[in-house]
Amino acid sequence: MKNLGLLSILLVATLSFTSCREKTEKEKLVEEMKEDGAVIEETVDDDGDYKLKMESETKEVKIKEDADGDSKIKVDNDN
């Protein structure tokens, strides 16, 4: 019975930590652009490089991630 109580406390603690995770800059930009109704294009080339291009009326965002996990983010505001 004590193991069940300990297990439930551990489960609650785990859920608390994972739900409070800070969003990355990429995640924040994707959410913001989706809310603005952006056109979103995703591509992956043969080398495993990932490219994400999002374009709205006021902003263009390009995110590139290579196969090693290195990423570059470029934001252009059309003011």
Side-chain angles (χ1 to χ4, degrees), residues 25 29 32-33 59-62 73-77:
E25 182 179 3
L29 283 169
E32 180 183 323
M33 294 299 286
K59 187 186 286 188
E60 182 178 349
V61 176
K62 294 180 183 178
I73 298 175
K74 181 180 178 183
V75 179
D76 290 327
N77 292 315

Side-chain angles (χ1 to χ4, degrees), residues 21-30 65 73:
R21 180 180 65 88
E22 184 71 26
K23 290 183 182 178
T24 64
E25 182 179 3
K26 176 185 169 185
E27 291 171 329
K28 290 176 186 177
L29 283 169
V30 170
E65 294 180 356
I73 298 175

Side-chain angles (χ1 to χ4, degrees), residues 10-66:
L10 183 60
L11 179 63
V12 170
T14 303
L15 291 175
S16 298
F17 287 122
T18 57
S19 64
C20 295
R21 180 180 65 88
E22 184 71 26
K23 290 183 182 178
T24 64
E25 182 179 3
K26 176 185 169 185
E27 291 171 329
K28 290 176 186 177
L29 283 169
V30 170
E31 275 187 15
E32 180 183 323
M33 294 299 286
K34 282 182 179 179
E35 289 173 2
D36 289 344
V39 175
I40 300 174
E41 298 175 24
E42 293 179 279
T43 58
V44 178
D45 63 14
D46 295 336
D47 296 331
D49 296 341
Y50 170 79
K51 295 179 183 178
L52 177 65
K53 180 179 179 182
M54 302 175 286
E55 191 171 354
S56 69
E57 292 180 14
T58 59
K59 187 186 286 188
E60 182 178 349
V61 176
K62 294 180 183 178
I63 300 173
K64 296 179 183 179
E65 294 180 356
D66 63 18

